[in-house]
């Protein structure tokens, strides 16, 4: 069964293709299937594609491909979504040092839900999360699958600087900050992994469709992994 | 091959080309020149590829020394350029002898000036582009804005001589003056707004606020009422989108925008007109004029064809 696909012009150089109405793994899978078909057999004039929860934004040059032609090419691929062969999802483990100075809001999250910090870690690390999309800022994963009992309101006053690698909860979402930025999510831990490093052969750690698991680590492991990243020239280890 | 040494940085100066495409799915913004018209023309005058890397200078230009004889051009906004104290024209191929110093007196018109050099600036291509991405800290000159002491090198000139004085015909010069009119295609979330709000948007004047950078421009003016919820499931942000958060005031998304966002977009500025937004400064007035998608496509084709014609004329 497939929902009705809707096309909306997003200006004269982008076409928004909506494949469903809500946030669910099946709609997102169809988004990725269409993306794969576009990657495999590119349409001339398509310059970039942004997959998100339930839609693709197709960025095109109307001097190369006209809107009717583009829509026809997209409809062809939409008719063959079943032929996309999405690889089995990669499971990416994110080693995380929970609590303390690395996760200053862990205590708050625990108190908020009447849990102990250990129970919060167990629940958070026990979850399996789907990367619905990567975006907003470079390498930032939007993860689905946060256990309901961990949903926590954001800070009233966002921090001016959230350290890179911070693992956080914002409302019903959880994620990892790739860069030091301002942010209003509750920080419960930190990973020594770099989500984005332009010097790596694969600059981005996560891609849409990946599955993520957070693995609790000790402070010693954190520092060892951070050292590894630095000695391999994989990054600054910030 | 030339060398340009920055003596003092001025305002924000970054190396930009026509942008980095193919990585928006990972959250990398395309970046690139905010005023792509001026970038293309500067390059074409010099015989470069239209997308060669140039220096985008904001408001207050840098002071820079040419360490070699260099052909260059200044396009875009008028930042008050002079070479060794002699005023310089915009939109014209100029020659700097070794040791001469380029400086800028202050902003006279527009906001962003472009310094193109024959051959283009030689910075490494990162993920397919030489544009500086300030958020990710990559591309351009060491992933950052230029500072005093930085020395940019240039690729060898494609047309090494005989082009000094080549200029854009005055009839082709953009005006870069308030009030601006930007043509738009309504949508993709026109349905999130009341009919009155769409009418207000098209009939009112909006003022550019100081909240302005390479990411976007926030406007003030009549607020736009949402018909219902303002919550949109996050989706890709097109270049030139006018998103309207809860407060009802539109924000225009530019080259270094976030790749996805959850605010409804009432309209998107046409590709043919967007470059003008790169020259808007606080206090400037803008009106938005709706065109059909077909009209916008015609405008875009003419816009792109005009660069081809310019290239042919310049030979």
């Amino acid at each position: 069964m497939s929902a009705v696909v809707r096309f909306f012009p997003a200006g004269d150089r982008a076409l928004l293709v909506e494949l469903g109405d809500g946030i669910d793994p099946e709609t997102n899978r169809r988004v990725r299937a269409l993306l794969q078909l576009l990657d495999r057999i590119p349409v001339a004039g398509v310059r970039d594609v942004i997959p998100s929860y339930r839609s693709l934004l197709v960025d095109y040059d109307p001097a190369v491909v006209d809107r009717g032609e583009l829509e026809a090419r997209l409809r062809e691929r939409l008719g063959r979504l079943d032929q996309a062969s999405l690889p089995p999802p990669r499971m990416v483990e994110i080693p995380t040092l929970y609590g303390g100075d690395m996760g200053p809001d862990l205590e708050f999250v625990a108190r908020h839900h009447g849990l102990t910090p250990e129970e919060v870690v167990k629940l958070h690390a026990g979850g399996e999360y789907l990367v619905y999309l990567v975006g907003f800022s470079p390498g930032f994963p939007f993860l689905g699958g946060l256990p309901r009992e961990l949903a926590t309101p954001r800070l009233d006053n966002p921090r001016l600087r959230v350290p890179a690698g911070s693992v956080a909860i914002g409302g019903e979402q959880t994620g990892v900050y790739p860069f030091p930025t301002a942010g209003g999510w509750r920080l419960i831990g930190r990973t020594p992994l770099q989500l984005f490093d332009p010097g790596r052969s694969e600059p981005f750690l996560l891609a849409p469709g990946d599955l993520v698991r957070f693995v609790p680590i000790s402070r010693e492991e954190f520092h060892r992994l951070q050292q590894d990243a630095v000695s391999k020239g994989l990054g600054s280890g910030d | 091959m030339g060398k340009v040494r920055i003596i003092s940085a001025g305002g924000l100066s970054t190396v930009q080309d026509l942008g980095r495409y193919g990585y928006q799915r990972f959250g990398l913004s395309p970046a690139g020149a905010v005023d792509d018209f001026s970038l293309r023309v500067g390059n074409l005058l010099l015989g470069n590829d239209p997308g060669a890397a140039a220096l985008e200078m904001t408001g207050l230009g840098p002071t820079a020394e040419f360490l070699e004889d260099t052909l260059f051009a200044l396009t875009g906004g008028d930042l008050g350029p002079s070479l060794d104290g002699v005023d310089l024209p915009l939109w014209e191929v100029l020659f700097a002898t070794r040791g001469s110093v380029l400086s800028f007196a202050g902003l006279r018109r527009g906001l962003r000036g472009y310094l193109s050099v024959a051959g283009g600036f030689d910075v490494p291509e990162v993920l397919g582009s030489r544009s500086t991405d300030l958020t990710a800290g990559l591309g351009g000159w060491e992933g950052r804005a230029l500072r005093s002491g930085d020395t940019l090198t240039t690729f060898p000139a494609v047309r090494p001589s005989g082009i000094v004085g080549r200029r854009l015909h005055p009839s082709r010069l953009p005006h870069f003056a308030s009030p601006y009119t930007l043509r738009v295609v309504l949508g993709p979330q026109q349905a999130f707004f009341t009919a009155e709000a769409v009418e207000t948007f098209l009939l009112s004047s909006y003022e550019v606020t100081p909240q302005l950078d390479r990411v976007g421009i926030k406007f003030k003016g009549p607020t736009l009422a949402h018909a219902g919820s303002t919550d949109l499931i996050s989706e890709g942000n097109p270049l030139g989108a006018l998103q309207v958060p809860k407060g009802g005031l539109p924000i225009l998304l530019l080259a270094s925008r976030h790749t996805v966002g959850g605010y409804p977009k009432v309209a998107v500025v046409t590709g043919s007109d967007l470059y003008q937004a790169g020259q808007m400064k606080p206090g400037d007035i803008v009106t938005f004029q709706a065109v059909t998608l077909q009209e916008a496509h015609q405008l875009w084709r003419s816009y792109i064809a005009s660069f081809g014609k310019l290239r042919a004329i310049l030979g």
Side-chain angles (χ1 to χ4, degrees):
Chain A
M1 194 196 77
S2 55
V4 179
V5 175
R6 287 175 298 186
F7 293 84
F8 298 93
D12 55 336
R13 293 184 290 167
L15 185 61
L16 181 68
V17 187
E18 268 185 18
L19 288 95
D21 293 323
I23 298 176
D24 61 84
E26 173 54 21
T27 302
N28 191 248
R29 197 192 62 76
R30 297 176 68 237
V31 168
R32 283 180 277 115
L34 179 57
L35 176 68
Q36 196 204 47
L37 292 179
L38 278 168
D39 282 347
R40 210 157 68 190
I41 314 159
V43 177
V46 170
R47 184 165 61 161
D48 210 346
V49 184
I50 310 178
S52 50
Y53 285 107
R54 50 132 182 190
S55 65
L56 268 103
L57 187 73
V58 180
D59 182 339
Y60 68 102
D61 180 351
V64 177
V65 60
D66 74 38
R67 153 76 199 265
E69 167 88 8
L70 175 62
E71 193 171 319
R73 297 285 158 259
L74 289 165
R75 285 194 187 281
E76 270 171 23
R77 285 161 179 77
L78 284 162
R80 290 187 289 153
L81 282 191
D82 301 342
Q83 292 172 24
S85 49
L86 291 177
R90 289 191 312 162
M91 172 61 78
V92 181
E93 296 193 336
I94 311 262
T96 304
L97 175 56
Y98 284 97
D101 55 332
M102 300 289 187
D105 298 330
L106 179 65
E107 296 277 350
F108 174 88
V109 173
R111 270 201 314 278
H112 186 79
H113 297 289
L115 300 167
T116 65
E118 292 72 26
E119 285 168 329
V120 171
V121 172
K122 199 171 171 201
L123 277 166
H124 191 261
E128 195 175 277
Y129 304 91
L130 171 65
V131 180
Y132 273 104
L133 67 111
V134 177
F136 186 70
S137 63
F140 190 102
F142 285 71
L143 302 176
L146 182 71
R148 245 168 231 285
E149 47 281 47
L150 290 184
T152 314
R154 294 161 204 214
L155 293 171
D156 290 336
N157 297 302
R159 286 183 173 86
L160 289 177
R161 190 178 181 279
V162 173
S166 291
V167 173
I169 292 174
E172 292 170 13
Q173 303 187 81
T174 187
V176 188
Y177 286 89
F179 291 95
T181 52
W185 290 18
R186 307 278 176 177
L187 312 183
I188 60 169
R190 201 182 303 173
T191 179
L193 296 189
Q194 284 209 292
L195 274 73
F196 170 57
D197 181 346
R200 280 195 305 238
S201 59
E202 293 202 16
F204 298 92
L205 184 69
L206 297 171
D210 286 345
L211 294 173
V212 164
R213 209 154 41 205
F214 294 94
V215 180
I217 55 170
S218 67
R219 190 164 288 269
E220 290 68 36
E221 275 176 287
F222 183 94
H223 289 302
R224 190 175 52 73
L225 288 166
Q226 204 171 40
Q227 286 306 314
D228 283 358
V230 173
S231 64
K232 282 181 200 151
L234 292 183
S236 67
D238 182 1
Chain B
M1 220 177 62
K3 275 188 164 63
V4 180
R5 187 173 66 90
I6 305 296
I7 297 169
S8 74
L12 181 76
S13 296
T14 57
V15 175
Q16 299 292 344
D17 60 13
L18 287 175
R20 179 174 289 107
Y21 286 89
Y23 299 92
Q24 292 189 81
R25 66 182 65 177
F26 295 112
L28 267 197
S29 175
V34 184
D35 170 2
D36 69 286
F37 176 90
S38 298
L39 178 88
R40 292 176 202 255
V41 170
N43 280 323
L44 288 171
L45 286 169
L46 290 160
N48 295 344
D49 182 90
L55 193 60
E56 181 182 275
M57 310 169 289
T58 315
L60 190 62
T63 303
E65 181 184 357
F66 291 97
L67 302 181
E68 305 290 340
D69 291 358
T70 307
L71 287 171
F72 69 104
L74 295 158
T75 58
D78 186 350
L79 277 52
S82 62
L83 192 66
D84 289 336
V86 179
D87 281 2
L88 293 174
L90 302 187
W91 311 102
E92 181 171 331
V93 177
L94 304 165
F95 179 71
T97 51
R98 176 178 179 172
S100 51
V101 173
L102 177 68
S103 60
F104 295 87
L107 192 60
R108 293 177 184 146
R109 184 179 283 262
L111 178 65
R112 292 183 174 90
Y114 291 85
L115 167 63
S116 305
V117 291
F121 285 111
D122 180 6
V123 294
E125 217 173 61
V126 179
L127 302 176
S129 164
R130 296 189 166 84
S131 284
T132 311
D133 179 333
L134 294 170
T135 310
L138 62 80
W141 176 261
E142 298 184 352
R144 62 165 171 81
L146 291 173
R147 298 199 283 249
S148 58
D150 294 340
T151 300
L152 290 165
T153 56
T154 75
F155 285 109
V158 183
R159 298 282 303 270
S161 62
I163 58 171
V164 176
R166 248 175 32 167
R167 61 195 180 106
L168 198 63
H169 191 273
S171 67
R172 289 171 171 268
L173 294 181
H175 298 296
F176 297 146
S178 177
Y180 289 90
T181 300
L182 295 179
R183 287 168 289 197
V184 300
V185 175
L186 290 172
Q189 278 93 35
Q190 201 185 332
F192 274 61
F193 300 88
T194 63
E196 293 75 23
V198 175
E199 204 164 285
T200 301
F201 168 69
L202 294 172
L203 293 176
S204 309
S205 294
Y206 284 88
E207 186 182 327
V208 176
T209 69
Q211 284 169 283
L212 165 168
D213 56 16
R214 289 183 41 83
V215 174
I217 298 175
K218 194 167 182 182
F219 293 102
K220 71 179 176 200
T223 55
L224 306 178
H226 295 87
S229 164
T230 57
D231 275 343
L232 176 73
I233 295 176
S234 287
E235 64 182 28
N237 274 334
L239 180 59
L242 285 149
Q243 66 174 25
V244 185
K246 216 177 248 170
L249 287 172
I251 296 170
L252 174 61
L253 302 181
L254 299 176
S256 294
R257 67 199 175 278
H258 296 296
T259 53
V260 297
Y263 294 121
K265 296 167 277 289
V266 67
V268 182
V269 175
T270 65
S272 63
D273 287 9
L274 188 64
Y275 71 92
Q276 297 179 62
Q279 298 298 347
M280 292 175 185
K281 56 185 177 299
D284 284 352
I285 301 297
V286 186
T287 55
F288 300 101
Q289 182 195 336
V291 293
T292 65
L293 186 59
Q294 290 71 25
E295 287 167 331
H297 281 160
Q298 198 47 52
L299 289 168
W300 173 255
R301 288 189 200 103
S302 310
Y303 180 71
I304 289 303
S306 70
F307 300 113
K309 280 183 204 148
L310 181 61
R311 186 176 221 167
I313 292 166
L314 295 172

